[in-house]
Amino acid sequence: MFENMNPIFLALLGGLFTWGLTAAGAAMVFIFKEIKPKILNMMLGFASGIMIAASFWSLLLPAMELSEGKKYEWAPIIIGFALGGVFLLLADKLLPHVHHLGDEPKGQHKSSSLKRSIMLVFAITLHNIPEGLSYGVAFGTVGSSEKATLASAAILAFGIGIQNFPEGAAVSIPLRREGVTRLKSFMYGQASALVEPIAAIFGAWLASSIKPLLPYTLAFAAGAMIFVVIEELIPESQTDTHLYGHIATIGAMAGFLLMTFMDIAIG
């Protein structure tokens, strides 16, 4: 049934799914006003593990298979992965945003709260682009190799959706703690993932339209995702480790194992 569907349409469905889970996570602000730091650290670690596993199993592995037998079979992996990191690095430098909830000094005037909230959402939105691009490319490459299956693409979208749930909560609940209204906190949280369906559609179109670029686009998405994990998720998950021990690391291991299990057992 789904195998005969347009990959761009499938990517759109995946994007709506991941956005929906982000919105569901952001909706937790209507139930909780605060989120315990150790829970936040564990969720961020869990998201890191999922993204690392997804980058290898669902992106780099198919890219390597597509490059086998070519003269420079290493080139698409190395070049694509590097370009993914460079893209995020440049975007990080050129687009104004805050990196973490604790970046600003205490005692900040309330008039700057809205501006800071917008910059925070801008940061999360920027880092959601490679997530949408990754499963969009995966849907666009279905059938191009043994590893590029519809099941593996769906699992990638599902895995990213799982990690988007705590990400939505990690945006909306801290904003509420800082004095932003519940509704506005929810709107900021869900808005951070609106870019994912767009990026997914673009990734599916690119992968299905320009076949020679398939391994490059897969590796590009992987490089961008790993950049996000190392630049943002892991450092943020390691706050207050002297109080909460290895909770973030345990979360990362659990996320990696879950994504690996789904990809091997189901994909």
Side-chain angles (χ1 to χ4, degrees):
M1 174 180 162
F2 291 102
E3 286 81 357
N4 297 324
M5 286 188 176
N6 188 300
I8 295 177
F9 178 69
L10 290 173
L12 173 61
L13 292 180
L16 293 176
F17 172 75
T18 57
W19 166 80
L21 284 182
T22 304
M28 291 295 101
V29 74
F30 295 111
I31 303 174
F32 306 104
K33 185 176 180 179
E34 294 187 1
I35 182 170
K36 293 182 179 180
K38 66 178 181 180
I39 300 298
L40 178 60
N41 289 354
M42 182 180 66
M43 291 192 305
L44 291 172
F46 182 76
S48 300
I50 284 183
M51 291 179 69
I52 293 171
S55 295
F56 178 73
W57 294 111
S58 300
L59 297 172
L60 288 178
L61 204 58
M64 292 167 62
E65 185 179 345
L66 288 169
S67 300
E68 286 181 359
K70 296 182 180 179
K71 186 175 181 181
Y72 300 105
E73 60 182 39
W74 52 267
I77 313 302
I78 301 300
I79 294 174
F81 190 90
L83 287 177
V86 169
F87 169 75
L88 263 294
L89 179 63
L90 291 176
D92 209 51
K93 296 293 184 183
L94 296 176
L95 301 177
H97 63 276
V98 296
H99 283 268
H100 306 298
L101 289 171
D103 276 351
E104 293 185 88
K106 294 182 179 179
Q108 173 184 284
H109 196 273
K110 286 288 185 182
S111 63
S112 64
S113 177
L114 179 60
K115 178 181 177 182
R116 180 176 184 276
S117 299
I118 292 174
M119 291 176 70
L120 176 63
V121 176
F122 199 12
I124 301 298
T125 299
L126 171 65
H127 295 155
N128 277 338
I129 292 175
E131 295 178 11
L133 184 65
S134 65
Y135 57 79
V137 169
F139 280 116
T141 57
V142 169
S144 59
S145 72
E146 290 184 3
K147 299 293 183 182
T149 64
L150 180 60
S152 64
I155 289 170
L156 176 58
F158 182 72
I160 288 181
I162 290 175
Q163 66 94 24
N164 273 7
F165 182 88
E167 188 175 82
V171 173
S172 64
I173 294 177
L175 288 177
R176 173 59 182 159
R177 187 181 62 234
E178 293 181 357
V180 182
T181 66
R182 292 184 189 274
L183 180 59
K184 189 174 290 186
S185 297
F186 166 75
M187 294 303 294
Y188 284 145
Q190 64 83 30
S192 67
L194 286 175
V195 70
E196 281 199 23
I198 300 173
I201 290 172
F202 175 74
W205 171 81
L206 186 66
S208 59
S209 301
I210 312 175
K211 299 294 184 181
L213 290 181
L214 287 181
Y216 290 92
T217 53
L218 286 165
F220 178 93
M225 285 178 63
I226 293 298
F227 184 96
V228 170
V229 170
I230 298 175
E231 176 80 1
E232 297 288 343
L233 295 182
I234 291 178
E236 184 72 8
S237 72
Q238 294 297 315
T239 57
D240 297 322
T241 51
H242 62 289
L243 296 176
Y244 308 118
H246 304 294
I247 191 71
T249 304
I250 294 171
M253 296 289 289
F256 187 93
L257 289 173
L258 175 62
M259 191 66 195
T260 299
F261 169 77
M262 290 194 300
D263 205 284
I264 295 175
I266 304 173

